[in-house]
Amino acid sequence: KATLSVEAFDLEDSNWAEKWSKEVVLAPNASTELWKGLLPGQPTRTKQSDVPKPIVLSARLLDGDNVLARYANW
């Protein structure tokens, strides 16, 4: 058992941020999909010329206060 902690924030709008966490169960010696979904705060693009917002997504896998893994994407 571990906790998945996810934070998203907009680089242009310092007032917007979203944070959530959930308990997850990791399978032994296997890959485990922990979350699948749309990028929080990113509006749906209706045409190719729509410029996406510069949103950073940070995820951490925690065991209590210990960080087991971390990842960031922007």
Side-chain angles (χ1 to χ4, degrees):
K1 293 183 179 182
T3 302
L4 174 65
S5 174
V6 177
E7 294 183 53
F9 54 93
D10 188 337
L11 290 177
E12 292 178 343
D13 180 7
S14 61
N15 295 325
W16 181 85
E18 185 173 318
K19 180 191 272 189
W20 56 268
S21 62
K22 72 174 189 173
E23 298 298 314
V24 294
V25 176
L26 304 175
N29 200 29
S31 296
T32 305
E33 185 173 284
L34 301 176
W35 176 68
K36 183 178 178 181
L38 298 175
L39 180 62
Q42 189 68 262
T44 302
R45 294 172 66 188
T46 57
K47 52 189 174 192
Q48 288 286 30
S49 61
D50 289 343
V51 178
K53 292 174 111 178
I55 294 179
V56 176
L57 187 72
S58 170
R60 295 184 306 155
L61 194 58
L62 306 167
D63 180 19
D65 291 333
N66 297 321
V67 178
L68 301 175
R70 62 179 180 240
Y71 181 77
N73 196 347
W74 55 89

